[in-house]
Amino acid sequence: MVILRAVATYLEAIRQAIREEMRADADVFVMGEDIGAYGGAFKITEGLLEEFGEDRVIDTPISEAGIVGAAIGAAQMGLKPVCEMQFIDFIAPAFNVIVNFAAKVRYRTGVGAGLVIRGPCGAGVRAGPFHSQNVESYFANVPGLKLVAPATVRDAKGLLKAAIRDPDPVLFFEHKYLYRRLRDELEEGEEFLTPLGKARTHRGGTDLTLVTYGAMVHTAQAAAEQLAEEDGAEIEIIDLRTLQPLDSAAILESVKKTGRLLLLHEAPRFGGFAGEVAALVCEQAFEWLDTPIRRVAALDTPVPYAAELEDAHLPQVADVVSMARLQLSY
């Protein structure tokens, strides 16, 4: 007997995670702008209002600070809010309440704020400078926050379920370019968690370690396939999945094996997360390196609207291949 498994997109995996957690736990609820009758800007919350009602699917005013502030209060009363930012760029008005209260409340009072703030990040969809940012580095310097950036359909579901159950604030960065482009076998109701703080070896290799996360995992994969075919090089790709807490052991283990490290992220180069990973390896595995550490990242500019300019701004497969070849030439 052949069992046919359902195929879900990255977007549908996120919806599954939310729906399943709401079904399993009456304390879980969602809130955000236009998430009820409209189903959210990208339709992630479509159908939730009909199933769970207005008490658990709350359309809010256009006030990100108000959304997160109310969620923190609800979390401290034992509820489990999942807040949607229509675009992750709009998290900026809530920056103060996130970093100066949500992140510090457990340290200050002993009572944490178990909430999830999720939303679409990233470029590549011609959305321009106000709807295309990657904001992870803004928050990586704040103790008390967990930062998650799934790259696959299964991780989008498993990591979000783990985030909703976590007792402290989690920022969940969904790359909008992946929403309807990625598909995988995934049954609704299939119960699994992807633990926070554990990286994943996306591709094994022995010649070079490439550390990345989010949509850039797929750019790295395409580059690795090209290098294998044209150069005979085997690139190991480490998908961080969680930026905080960071799986330092996975990074160091891979670097000790390959002796080379290339870092890739979509955010601008200066002050980007790659700098922290480079510092980690320099401090704890410098003697294992055979070459200098290299980075591939976006240009230090806002994300352009024009397609040609956006492509020039973002890391491309050719950029990764070129930098990897420089590493491998040593």
Side-chain angles (χ1 to χ4, degrees):
M1 178 179 179
V2 177
I3 299 175
L4 298 178
R5 292 174 57 81
V7 175
T9 64
Y10 183 98
L11 181 152
E12 289 165 345
I14 294 167
R15 184 190 296 134
Q16 282 187 23
I18 296 171
R19 181 184 286 120
E20 289 172 16
E21 292 303 297
M22 292 182 74
R23 287 173 176 171
D25 187 343
D27 288 335
V28 179
F29 71 97
V30 295
M31 58 192 301
E33 300 158 12
D34 294 325
I35 67 164
Y38 188 67
F42 291 90
K43 303 301 182 183
I44 284 181
T45 54
E46 190 172 42
L48 297 185
L49 177 63
E50 291 77 6
E51 179 170 354
F52 299 104
E54 294 181 351
D55 288 343
R56 296 181 65 195
V57 182
I58 302 172
D59 274 320
T60 68
I62 303 175
S63 173
E64 286 73 20
I67 293 168
V68 178
I72 293 170
Q76 291 214 285
M77 296 301 294
L79 300 178
K80 299 177 180 178
V82 180
C83 306
E84 176 174 298
M85 303 284 111
Q86 279 196 345
F87 291 83
I88 208 64
D89 315 57
F90 304 159
I91 202 170
F95 187 85
N96 178 59
V97 72
I98 293 170
V99 303
N100 285 325
F101 196 87
K104 297 176 174 61
V105 66
R106 180 177 295 282
Y107 180 83
R108 184 181 183 190
T109 70
V111 180
L115 70 148
V116 175
I117 303 169
R118 47 157 296 268
C121 67
V125 297
R126 318 310 189 200
F130 305 114
H131 300 79
S132 304
Q133 295 177 75
N134 292 278
V135 302
E136 60 270 15
S137 289
Y138 303 171
F139 297 98
N141 192 234
V142 182
L145 297 178
K146 295 176 182 175
L147 313 180
V148 179
T152 69
V153 172
R154 292 189 68 82
D155 278 352
K157 180 174 181 176
L159 287 167
L160 183 52
K161 290 172 74 73
I164 292 171
R165 299 184 193 188
D166 197 271
D168 290 299
V170 180
L171 275 57
F172 196 86
F173 304 123
E174 309 157 3
H175 203 293
K176 67 177 75 67
Y177 186 83
L178 304 180
Y179 272 158
R180 293 178 174 86
R181 286 177 171 86
L182 289 189
R183 289 173 170 79
D184 199 357
E185 293 183 348
L186 192 66
E187 291 282 359
E188 179 145 5
E190 183 179 352
E191 177 60 26
F192 63 93
L193 298 180
T194 304
L196 306 185
K198 294 293 184 182
R200 178 180 66 92
T201 301
H202 179 77
R203 185 182 193 276
T206 56
D207 297 315
L208 169 69
T209 296
L210 199 166
V211 175
T212 188
Y213 53 92
M216 285 292 105
V217 169
H218 305 284
T219 300
Q221 175 68 24
E225 290 174 359
Q226 182 178 337
L227 287 160
E229 180 178 351
E230 297 178 2
D231 301 64
E234 292 301 327
I235 310 303
E236 180 149 293
I237 300 172
I238 302 298
D239 172 13
L240 293 178
R241 302 201 289 196
T242 304
L243 307 185
Q244 280 283 28
L246 179 65
D247 190 352
S248 302
I251 299 167
L252 296 172
E253 180 181 351
S254 181
V255 169
K256 288 177 180 179
K257 178 172 65 173
T258 68
R260 296 177 175 87
L261 175 61
L262 178 59
L263 302 165
L264 170 65
H265 60 60
E266 187 182 305
R269 175 186 175 94
F270 189 89
F273 196 76
E276 182 61 35
V277 179
L280 165 74
V281 173
C282 284
E283 289 170 352
Q284 299 191 33
F286 182 79
E287 67 273 21
W288 295 91
L289 291 172
D290 297 324
T291 70
I293 297 171
R294 305 285 183 180
R295 289 180 287 170
V296 178
L299 301 180
D300 293 327
T301 71
V303 180
Y305 272 113
E308 296 85 350
L309 293 179
E310 185 180 41
D311 288 344
H313 168 85
L314 294 173
Q316 303 294 333
V317 172
D319 301 320
V320 179
V321 169
S322 176
M323 193 64 76
R325 283 176 172 155
L326 178 61
Q327 293 283 77
L328 294 165
S329 68
Y330 277 81

